Amino acid sequence: MNVIWVCGVDEAGRGPLAGAVVAGAVVLDPENPISGLKDSKKLSAAKREFLFEQIQLKAKAWGIGEASPAEIDEINILQATMLAMRRAIEDLTTRLGGWPDKALIDGNRCPELPISAEAIVKGDTKEPAISAASILAKVTRDHQMMALHELHPQYGFAQHMGYPTEAHFAALKEFGACDQHRRSFSPVRNVLALHSR
């Protein structure tokens, strides 16, 4: 009998003003379970880092995809999220040796895929594979933002991860936008308009 492989898919970084939107895709291995999987937002940073490594070690297959700030600006954040999710599943296929049989997508929309897909609202709290994908996406994106902080320390990316905090707005007003800011997002657009006067 053929084994049916189901992958969970989730994203991190739809709301920030800077950085990529990142998606994770995971096919769990029933013979190699991972304990402690839950929505990445409900885990401490240390626990997420631990599970990030466990997922890469124990999952049957996993993948990561992203869409850049430039792509977000070009096609909008929803379409960029769908693109990142598809790229994550495509990355997973290289480790799985083919497409999974089905994708469970966190949220209420599915990317265009050549396989069956089901959108599950709050899926990261209901499906362990989606929880695992949320952890992969969140930790990967946090690592990217820490690296961006090294390049652009004036924005404080290490503290707010690109989200629209008071400190981030203050830095935007003082320094303008860097190449990793999403210029199509109205808060960034408004600040750039002030700077161009």
Side-chain angles (χ1 to χ4, degrees), residues 13-144:
R14 282 185 71 163
L17 307 179
V21 59
V22 177
V26 179
V27 173
L28 294 173
D29 184 349
E31 296 182 5
N32 210 0
I34 302 167
S35 62
L37 292 175
K38 61 171 74 172
D39 174 8
S40 63
K41 295 183 286 294
K42 297 178 180 174
L43 297 166
S44 67
K47 185 70 171 174
R48 283 196 299 265
E49 290 284 351
F50 172 76
L51 287 169
F52 179 76
E53 293 182 0
Q54 290 293 298
I55 292 161
Q56 292 178 324
L57 285 170
K58 293 184 174 182
K60 177 69 180 176
W62 57 272
I64 293 168
E66 65 181 77
S68 69
E71 288 174 317
I72 293 168
D73 289 340
E74 183 181 348
I75 61 176
N76 79 44
I77 186 61
L78 172 62
Q79 295 307 317
T81 300
M82 296 296 106
L83 179 61
M85 286 181 167
R86 182 183 171 95
R87 286 172 173 168
I89 300 168
E90 289 172 345
D91 186 38
L92 173 145
T93 66
T94 63
R95 295 179 176 88
L96 189 62
W99 287 89
D101 300 284
K102 184 175 183 178
L104 302 178
I105 312 291
D106 184 65
N108 58 9
R109 293 172 186 261
C110 295
E112 287 188 20
L113 297 167
I115 57 172
S116 171
E118 178 185 354
I120 303 176
V121 175
K122 298 190 186 305
D124 49 7
T125 66
K126 300 171 183 173
E127 292 286 345
I130 297 179
S131 300
S134 80
I135 293 164
L136 272 193
K138 169 72 173 156
V139 173
T140 298
R141 189 175 189 284
D142 283 356
H143 289 173
Q144 290 179 355

Side-chain angles (χ1 to χ4, degrees), residues 162-173:
Y163 281 88
T165 64
E166 282 186 30
H168 193 179
F169 281 127
L172 265 172
K173 285 173 183 171

Side-chain angles (χ1 to χ4, degrees), residues 147-192:
L148 271 184
H149 180 79
E150 296 297 315
L151 292 172
H152 305 285
Q154 68 271 31
Y155 295 104
F157 290 139
Q159 283 72 49
H160 52 66
M161 299 298 170
Y163 281 88
T165 64
E166 282 186 30
H168 193 179
F169 281 127
L172 265 172
K173 285 173 183 171
E174 183 175 354
F175 302 108
C178 74
D179 60 346
Q180 291 299 306
H181 278 100
R182 302 170 182 180
R183 283 161 167 73
S184 58
F185 279 34
S186 56
V188 179
R189 212 166 51 235
N190 293 343
V191 168
L192 287 175

